[in-house]
Amino acid sequence: MGVRTVIAGVLALAVLAGGCAAAIERNPPPNAQVAQQATLPDIPGARTWADEPPKDVKKAYRTYLKGVPQLGASAPLVDGRMQIDILALSGGGSDGAFGAGVLTGWTARGDRPEFEQVTGVSAGSIIAPFAYLGPEYDDELKQIWTQYQTDQLVVPQIVTGLLGGESLADTGPLKKLIAQYIDRDFLKKVAKQYERGRLLTVGTTNLDAKRPVVWNMGAIARHYDNPAAVQLFRDVILASAAIPGLFPPVNIKVSSDGKYYDEMHVDGGVTRQIYVSSIDVPFKSFDVLYPKPPKRHLYLVHNGKMTPQFGAVKPSTFQIAGESINTLMLYQHKGDNYRIYRMAMDAGADYNGVAIPPDFNHAYKEKFDLGYQRALFEEGIRVGKAKEWRKKPSDVYEAPRVATPAAPANPESPPAPPAAEPAPAAQPAEPAPAGPETAPVAPKAPVEPVAMDRVSAIETATPR
């Protein structure tokens, strides 16, 4: 039974059992205005609403990018313009093994760039900090995605979850795993790269506000001497991967008008499966942050299959609800992917996307199955070495090319002598009246032009 099928069943049972479940105490912001103004006072620039474009991008980024002398300051120059390489890592649960493998294979190929911006959602948030610090952390990625199975990451608490608890599983082991790799020294390295003008961001969903939040992990990392900042860095990653219903949400302390509240954050994939910028505005809006408009290269790693996978659905509540959620999230991912593609085309940016090949069919027995994840990691290495990037979403319609007449072999040669005049054709006789065997042929209707931007279904990762 898939994870989202289980989640759907839990939600259904929660509705039925909600009347007898004990409420979980917390201190949320009392209204939308307080939620809007809430901040982390000790860590300025820690986050922003992803769905709230600022009126003045330059001013907003001066506030947001604390400690950064110039965005892209370390980027290479190509023809006098900065080359900005952006890596976006999607959600996908255990399929994150694919993205880890792609980066490892790309390193082995020898042409993996230093990304000026790295973004991560859900499983991608666990990969993103290591991808940001570069190939020297490939071994850590391999360990995380190929050495830990389900019971080493989560502890089932089915009964508690069904009777009104926060989730079906406790993520205590996953918290310890994140803390094992993310410590003060790790944050210090992230801070050093951030001060070079490089960005690392992670997406979560503020469940109280029902809005996407993007966390500036570099701004948080600059406070590496503060244990609270180290814990916040870990909590943001855990929250981004907190699949609702399956994993517990993460409560983050915030302040508004001198009062403290706790926000509830869950999986960033609830609001965005993948993203390439902290706020949803055209790329050209960011050009004011650079001396000259930069050259952008986008690399989207989808931790999942990008095409729908057929599977007959059993006529049961769990199966119907679960597969409906699967399909909903798939097409949300399609929309995110196409929006990014259009952003790239409108700005003249270079779009590249990669995903688990449709013919990868290794079986798995549990959510975090080591056999499956190791096979998927190796498949990612193969894809990364081969550099199998698509230049557009697979389902974006492309009109067939029309053959053009071939040019003469030697245009400077004299023209061929004219052919002898043909004998005059006989004058046609008067047309006979139309009859059963001589009916006139109706004129053909004009062919409608094909819309170049039409999309039937964009290639995206199929959640499991």
Side-chain angles (χ1 to χ4, degrees), residues 223-455:
H223 300 267
Y224 53 83
D225 281 330
N226 182 350
V230 177
Q231 188 58 49
L232 177 62
F233 196 103
R234 297 167 178 167
D235 285 345
V236 169
I237 294 173
L238 187 65
S240 184
I243 303 169
L246 182 64
F247 297 160
V250 175
N251 292 326
I252 295 177
K253 294 292 182 184
V254 296
S255 174
S256 181
D257 290 331
K259 297 181 180 179
Y260 286 87
Y261 305 95
D262 58 271
E263 296 176 340
M264 181 180 285
H265 287 259
V266 297
D267 194 331
V270 171
T271 44
R272 296 199 297 181
Q273 293 288 324
I274 192 168
Y275 70 96
V276 292
S277 64
S278 299
I279 50 178
D280 285 334
V281 297
F283 276 126
K284 291 182 180 180
S285 299
F286 295 109
D287 288 351
V288 297
L289 305 175
Y290 303 91
K292 293 181 180 179
K295 295 184 177 182
R296 296 181 176 91
H297 298 268
L298 313 183
Y299 299 97
L300 278 64
V301 177
H302 299 279
N303 291 303
K305 293 183 179 179
M306 304 291 279
T307 52
Q309 302 295 298
F310 176 81
V313 179
K314 295 179 181 179
S316 68
T317 302
F318 281 16
Q319 284 286 308
I320 293 170
E323 291 307 315
S324 296
I325 292 175
N326 276 352
T327 305
L328 183 152
M329 296 188 73
L330 168 62
Y331 283 86
Q332 176 196 2
H333 204 160
K334 287 176 180 287
D336 291 339
N337 193 31
Y338 183 65
R339 174 178 50 79
I340 293 170
Y341 171 70
R342 285 308 318 171
M343 285 174 63
M345 294 303 97
D346 293 344
D350 175 38
Y351 172 94
N352 303 272
V354 70
I356 298 176
D359 58 357
F360 178 82
N361 291 314
H362 196 286
Y364 60 92
K365 298 178 181 178
E366 55 182 317
K367 178 56 183 171
F368 295 96
D369 184 297
L370 287 184
Y372 172 82
Q373 289 178 227
R374 287 168 180 167
L376 187 54
F377 181 81
E378 292 300 323
E379 179 67 5
I381 289 178
R382 185 196 67 77
V383 171
K385 286 181 177 179
K387 208 173 184 181
E388 296 179 355
W389 298 99
R390 298 187 64 93
K391 302 306 292 184
K392 61 175 59 180
S394 65
D395 292 356
V396 170
Y397 180 78
E398 185 172 7
R401 295 181 180 178
V402 178
T404 55
N410 186 3
E412 296 182 357
S413 59
E421 284 191 17
Q427 293 297 318
E430 289 291 326
E437 297 181 2
T438 60
V441 179
K444 293 183 179 180
V447 178
E448 285 290 327
V450 179
M452 292 296 292
D453 290 337
R454 189 178 60 164
V455 180

Side-chain angles (χ1 to χ4, degrees), residues 65-149:
L65 300 178
K66 295 295 182 182
V68 175
Q70 180 186 330
L71 191 63
S74 62
L77 292 179
V78 178
D79 297 329
R81 295 163 59 192
M82 292 180 179
Q83 177 173 304
I84 304 299
D85 294 303
I86 302 173
L87 173 68
L89 299 152
S90 83
S94 60
D95 284 348
F98 174 73
V102 168
L103 288 166
T104 303
W106 201 351
T107 297
R109 180 184 170 91
D111 57 357
R112 173 177 159 183
E114 179 183 70
F115 305 107
E116 297 308 312
Q117 297 181 35
V118 178
T119 76
V121 172
S122 197
S125 73
I126 299 175
I127 303 171
F130 302 97
Y132 178 76
L133 290 183
E136 66 182 274
Y137 279 88
D138 285 355
D139 286 345
E140 282 79 355
L141 281 176
K142 182 177 181 180
Q143 292 169 16
I144 291 170
W145 290 101
T146 66
Q147 293 188 13
Y148 300 95
Q149 57 192 30

